[in-house]
Amino acid sequence: MSKLFHSAAALSLVVSLQANAALATLSPEPVHSQTLMDVVSALQEGHYSEVDFNDQLSSAVLDQYLASLDPERSFFLASDIEEFEQYRSELDDQILDGQTQAAFTIFNRYQQRRSERLDYILSQLDTGEWDFSREEHLNTNREEAPWATSTEALDELWRKRLKSAVLSLKLADKTVDEAREILRKRYTNQLKRMEQAKNDDVFESFVNALTHEFDPHTQYYSPRGSENFQINMSLSLEGIGAVLQAENDQTKVVRLVPAGPADKAGQLQPADVIVGVGQGKEGEIEDVVGMRLDDVVSKIRGPKDSVVRLEIIPADAVDRQTRKVIEITRNKVKLEEQAARKRILEVERDGKPYKLGVIEVPTFYIDFAALQNGDPNYKSTTRDVEKLIHELREEDIDGLIVDLRNNGGGSLREANELIGLFIQRGPTVQIRDASGRVDILGDFDPKVVWNGPMAVMVNRLSASASEIFAGAIQDYNRGIIVGNRTFGKGTVQTLQPIDHGQVKLTHAKFYRISGDSTQHRGVEPDITFPSLFSVEDIGESSLDKALPWDKVRPVRHGRFPSLSPFMKALLQRHEARTADAPDFVFMRKQVEHFRDRKADDLVTLSEQMLRSEKEENEAWMLNVENERRKGLGLPAVSDLSQADDDLPKDEQGRPINPEAEAILAESGEILVDLIDLTLSHTAANEAQTQTSDRD
């Protein structure tokens, strides 16, 4: 063993001992009692749902608090959990009295157990050896696993976890000693962050176990948490333009800000996992696994025009050992780049050319400041889309596609007014508040800007205002909806300041004019496309304690002629057209393979077997990519990175995703099908009328 290795081992041991010595016992502060009662009052008076403070809630809060601290059941012992059972029916009474001592008792035990685990890991990193030829497995899904009954059982679990981590780094071309050093830094940093835990952090964590029982969007922010929340909100248009969330020990991408640096770079995608961050083109990639979300965000943030490098596990990776380093130049999002934009899609059918207008709406925006200042030229989604439609009509388009893919919502007013461009007048959305009162929004302007055939494209990341628009178009039979089931975000939140922080409350729900809620289920498209975004991983239905789908009374409204007579033929034509289409064959194979891989919770700890699996997966992915390229008449590639390098760029310099383009092209084909079937149906009716007249 080298002198350098001895020095590193001694240093980590000293740091570990210092961390344990510095691990303070945390306790409630006087301000927490009144704050908790303020939160309870806000929940009881302002939340959409009525939740009784009883033993059932007490039990749920205890389970949620334990799950938030130890989601993989890898720190607490069964004896700890048995000890905490004394609180199962008491927390509701304590909460109403503003008491949180039980929460701090549990948290302090958690700190103790976590410190013990980190000490064990660091000692293993210093002295442990691993047999990578041994065939054993690690269960990566322990949410429902039994709690360990002994320290020895936890040692065995963490031995396997550490071996898996070292092996994963080995497959990423690190030596064992390099892996030791990376992991030593990771766990030493976790020990240091444990020292920094504050009383407010414990209080915030416990209160959010309570608010989570109301719904996943209701949350308490301590003064520090409020500050971070405001920073993150204001920086949503800065940095790299990505919304992140913590998921166990990892940082997951939730969505990208339209026209943001990450969106433009085209390399980061929703559901990607960030495992490392490096500063500049040459800076060392710092491991961020196990790091607090706000710490990860602070490392990704930076000055305009500076470069950040992210090491990610891609969401579409065929195995979790895959690592990819991407480079993004930080910048502010220019609001004008988030504006709706148009293009022409040309489709030829039976020798006849069709011109389809495509309007991409990245978000529902409005310049409220300019509007309030009386600026007649203020920007908004509806005003911009109306202008684009007029321009497209001058080009004699045959149909219109509104592309709402990845549109996370925005201004409700704009969603309402945008619907009005396609109907004469009528209701558009219903909003029910906590008291049960239902307000109906609608379009009262008889002006129609486009009355021709139309389609609306959605996917799993189309949320909130996007769902209101798509749902109304579907309810009016105004157009055909294609894509994937939408996000299912049908709730409305508001921020309520209290003396010590603030509460984000869900206070209302959206309902379609049909009476159906957009909550949880989202909007189901008329024709569905393959998607890697599963409802189990992305969307409202993936969130624990999400408010359920329900209905209110439907609103009377006019309807355009039903599309039902054409749906069977539309689906048959779509399926026939895409059965052998290279891009669709590729997407279906990828979805099926990804689903099969994800279903396996056991990870091998044999290096030979893991390398073999990795090579098989990479070979499979390269093979299906080359099958796709052959079908499209493109040359084969010897490496998947070559395929990425081949991607064309749009006018903003963003790589054009071939699957996204294939979906757009097929949406155009479906719209032409609808035009064709509608014309044939009209012609048949006219012929029948003429025959009846002659008779």
Side-chain angles (χ1 to χ4, degrees):
M1 188 178 294
S2 69
K3 184 181 294 185
L4 176 63
F5 185 76
H6 275 302
S7 300
L11 176 62
S12 67
L13 179 59
V14 169
V15 171
S16 175
L17 292 173
Q18 288 176 341
N20 284 325
L23 205 57
T25 299
L26 301 173
S27 57
E29 297 177 11
V31 70
H32 292 154
S33 179
Q34 183 58 52
T35 303
L36 181 54
M37 289 189 282
D38 288 343
V39 172
V40 169
S41 177
L43 291 170
Q44 291 178 322
E45 296 174 8
H47 196 275
Y48 182 83
S49 300
E50 291 185 9
V51 177
D52 293 329
F53 280 76
N54 54 23
D55 288 353
Q56 182 178 353
L57 176 65
S58 177
S59 178
V61 170
L62 176 62
D63 288 337
Q64 176 58 35
Y65 187 46
L66 293 172
S68 68
L69 294 176
D70 191 3
E72 294 296 311
R73 301 191 172 192
S74 54
F75 295 111
F76 286 126
L77 290 166
S79 57
D80 298 323
I81 303 304
E82 184 178 353
E83 182 180 334
F84 301 152
E85 282 297 312
Q86 63 181 302
Y87 305 123
R88 185 162 294 281
S89 61
E90 295 180 4
L91 288 181
D92 57 322
D93 299 318
Q94 293 181 12
I95 288 170
L96 291 173
D97 288 339
Q99 301 302 312
T100 57
Q101 184 57 58
F104 280 83
T105 299
I106 293 172
F107 188 88
N108 286 323
R109 181 68 56 81
Y110 165 71
Q111 289 280 78
Q112 175 192 341
R113 297 303 186 206
R114 190 175 183 197
S115 177
E116 292 169 356
R117 289 299 100 216
L118 293 175
D119 285 345
Y120 171 79
I121 283 289
L122 288 169
S123 68
Q124 289 295 302
L125 282 169
D126 292 339
T127 62
E129 298 293 337
W130 303 279
D131 179 4
F132 295 118
S133 64
R134 181 181 173 187
E135 290 190 18
E136 55 182 344
H137 293 81
L138 172 68
N139 187 349
T140 58
N141 183 3
R142 288 183 48 82
E143 290 183 7
E144 302 297 329
W147 298 96
T149 56
S150 66
T151 300
E152 290 74 21
L154 282 180
D155 286 349
E156 176 64 6
L157 169 62
W158 280 89
R159 179 191 68 80
K160 288 185 175 182
R161 281 190 160 191
L162 181 57
K163 182 179 178 181
S164 179
V166 174
L167 188 51
S168 181
L169 289 167
K170 278 197 74 179
L171 265 64
D173 299 324
K174 304 293 184 184
T175 67
V176 171
D177 280 351
E178 287 173 334
R180 286 184 196 268
E181 191 57 33
I182 289 170
L183 295 172
R184 186 178 293 109
K185 286 181 180 178
R186 176 188 299 178
Y187 295 117
T188 300
N189 286 336
Q190 289 186 25
L191 272 173
K192 289 179 180 177
R193 283 192 291 275
M194 285 177 62
E195 293 178 44
Q196 300 166 4
K198 307 294 184 186
N199 294 331
D200 260 5
D201 297 330
V202 183
F203 178 73
E204 184 174 31
S205 178
F206 176 67
V207 175
N208 280 324
L210 167 63
T211 62
H212 186 273
E213 294 308 305
F214 285 72
D215 84 298
H217 301 292
T218 294
Q219 195 167 357
Y220 164 72
Y221 298 100
S222 67
R224 176 188 172 192
S226 298
E227 183 180 350
N228 285 332
F229 177 74
Q230 294 299 333
I231 290 173
N232 289 335
M233 290 298 290
S234 65
L235 288 175
S236 64
L237 301 182
E238 295 180 73
I240 66 169
V243 178
L244 310 176
Q245 73 177 26
E247 190 170 273
N248 297 336
D249 278 342
Q250 297 181 318
T251 300
K252 181 179 175 181
V253 179
V254 178
R255 64 180 177 86
L256 303 181
V257 176
D263 183 35
K264 287 182 180 179
Q267 299 182 81
L268 191 68
Q269 301 296 330
D272 285 353
V273 173
I274 299 172
V275 295
V277 179
Q279 305 303 327
K281 293 179 178 292
E282 304 295 334
E284 179 185 357
I285 298 288
E286 180 181 358
D287 180 85
V288 296
V289 176
M291 193 175 288
R292 283 173 56 123
L293 180 61
D294 53 355
D295 290 334
V296 178
V297 170
S298 69
K299 292 182 183 300
I300 295 175
R301 278 201 311 256
K304 177 183 175 183
D305 296 329
S306 62
V307 171
V308 63
R309 285 160 41 249
L310 305 179
E311 184 177 6
I312 64 171
I313 302 174
D316 59 357
V318 288
D319 66 72
R320 304 314 288 169
Q321 313 306 321
T322 300
R323 299 290 190 275
K324 181 179 179 182
V325 176
I326 64 175
E327 184 178 295
I328 301 173
T329 300
R330 301 178 178 104
N331 207 337
K332 288 187 177 182
V333 176
K334 298 177 182 177
L335 293 178
E336 60 268 23
E337 292 183 350
Q338 288 192 301
R341 47 187 174 265
K342 67 177 173 68
R343 60 187 283 195
I344 294 287
L345 181 66
E346 296 184 351
V347 178
E348 186 171 320
R349 179 70 57 84
D350 299 327
K352 179 182 177 182
Y354 288 84
K355 290 172 68 176
L356 305 177
V358 180
I359 296 181
E360 180 185 350
V361 183
T363 184
F364 286 87
Y365 54 89
I366 182 171
D367 188 343
F368 277 113
L371 173 64
Q372 291 171 349
N373 291 333
D375 184 349
N377 299 314
Y378 71 90
K379 284 190 68 65
S380 77
T381 303
T382 306
R383 292 163 68 99
D384 289 347
V385 169
E386 181 175 354
K387 179 183 176 183
L388 295 175
I389 291 175
H390 285 305
E391 293 173 1
L392 289 169
R393 291 181 64 173
E394 291 178 0
E395 298 188 55
D396 294 324
I397 60 170
D398 300 293
L400 179 69
I401 298 174
V402 178
D403 187 353
L404 298 180
R405 289 177 295 176
N406 305 324
N407 184 323
S411 168
L412 174 61
R413 164 184 167 150
E414 286 305 304
N416 177 55
E417 294 195 356
L418 189 65
I419 296 166
L421 299 184
F422 306 101
I423 64 172
Q424 280 194 330
R425 55 167 61 91
T428 57
V429 65
Q430 304 184 74
I431 306 171
R432 184 167 72 177
D433 63 20
S435 68
R437 186 185 68 182
V438 177
D439 290 329
I440 301 172
L441 301 184
D443 167 53
F444 304 105
D445 185 348
K447 177 180 66 175
V448 176
V449 179
W450 176 255
N451 59 5
M454 70 179 291
V456 178
M457 298 179 67
V458 294
N459 65 5
R460 189 58 173 163
L461 297 176
S462 304
S464 196
S466 294
E467 298 175 283
I468 290 170
F469 179 86
I473 294 298
Q474 193 173 57
D475 290 338
Y476 274 100
N477 298 323
R478 180 60 190 88
I480 187 166
I481 312 299
V482 298
N484 306 103
R485 177 176 156 186
T486 60
F487 193 94
K489 173 69 163 60
T491 57
V492 187
Q493 284 74 41
T494 185
L495 281 172
Q496 180 174 325
I498 56 178
D499 286 343
H500 192 70
Q502 59 184 345
V503 183
K504 183 174 65 157
L505 282 171
T506 295
H507 69 95
K509 283 177 75 174
F510 290 129
Y511 294 83
R512 293 165 58 163
I513 54 177
S514 64
D516 292 351
S517 173
T518 56
Q519 169 65 12
H520 209 284
R521 293 187 185 178
V523 176
E524 289 284 356
D526 299 306
I527 294 181
T528 302
F529 297 147
S531 172
L532 283 176
F533 297 136
S534 71
V535 296
E536 292 81 15
D537 294 330
I538 296 287
E540 193 77 5
S541 59
S542 71
L543 302 177
D544 185 36
K545 301 298 173 68
L547 293 184
W549 177 90
D550 61 349
K551 299 184 69 170
V552 295
R553 184 176 301 173
V555 183
R556 292 182 60 185
H557 62 281
R559 288 183 176 87
F560 288 78
S562 175
L563 301 180
S564 297
F566 311 124
M567 288 312 304
K568 183 177 180 180
L570 285 171
L571 189 58
Q572 288 175 339
R573 291 187 182 189
H574 161 68
E575 290 176 344
R577 193 165 42 240
T578 60
D580 299 315
D583 285 311
F584 277 81
V585 171
F586 172 82
M587 285 186 279
R588 286 192 292 267
K589 286 184 175 181
Q590 195 179 28
V591 169
E592 183 178 357
H593 188 75
F594 184 72
R595 186 184 300 119
D596 291 343
R597 293 286 304 170
K598 187 171 177 282
D600 189 2
D601 294 328
L602 292 180
V603 174
T604 179
L605 300 181
S606 160
E607 181 174 3
Q608 182 179 351
M609 292 178 63
L610 197 59
R611 286 192 184 278
S612 177
E613 288 179 6
K614 181 178 174 65
E615 290 168 2
E616 287 176 8
N617 284 322
E618 289 176 349
W620 180 89
M621 194 66 193
L622 183 61
N623 182 58
V624 295
E625 170 63 22
N626 280 327
E627 285 180 359
R628 183 185 74 86
R629 295 175 71 86
K630 181 180 179 180
L632 295 172
L634 298 173
V637 293
S638 58
D639 188 271
L640 288 173
S641 62
Q642 290 179 261
D644 292 337
D645 295 338
D646 286 350
L647 295 178
K649 304 286 195 300
D650 64 13
E651 67 277 3
Q652 293 186 340
R654 298 180 301 181
I656 297 175
N657 183 291
E659 290 82 55
E661 282 297 291
I663 286 172
L664 175 60
E666 175 58 21
S667 299
E669 295 282 357
I670 292 171
L671 183 54
V672 170
D673 286 339
L674 182 59
I675 294 170
D676 177 51
L677 290 167
T678 303
L679 290 174
S680 299
H681 181 74
T682 301
N685 284 342
E686 290 177 351
Q688 185 176 6
T689 300
Q690 291 174 359
T691 301
S692 299
D693 290 344
R694 286 197 300 271
D695 293 344

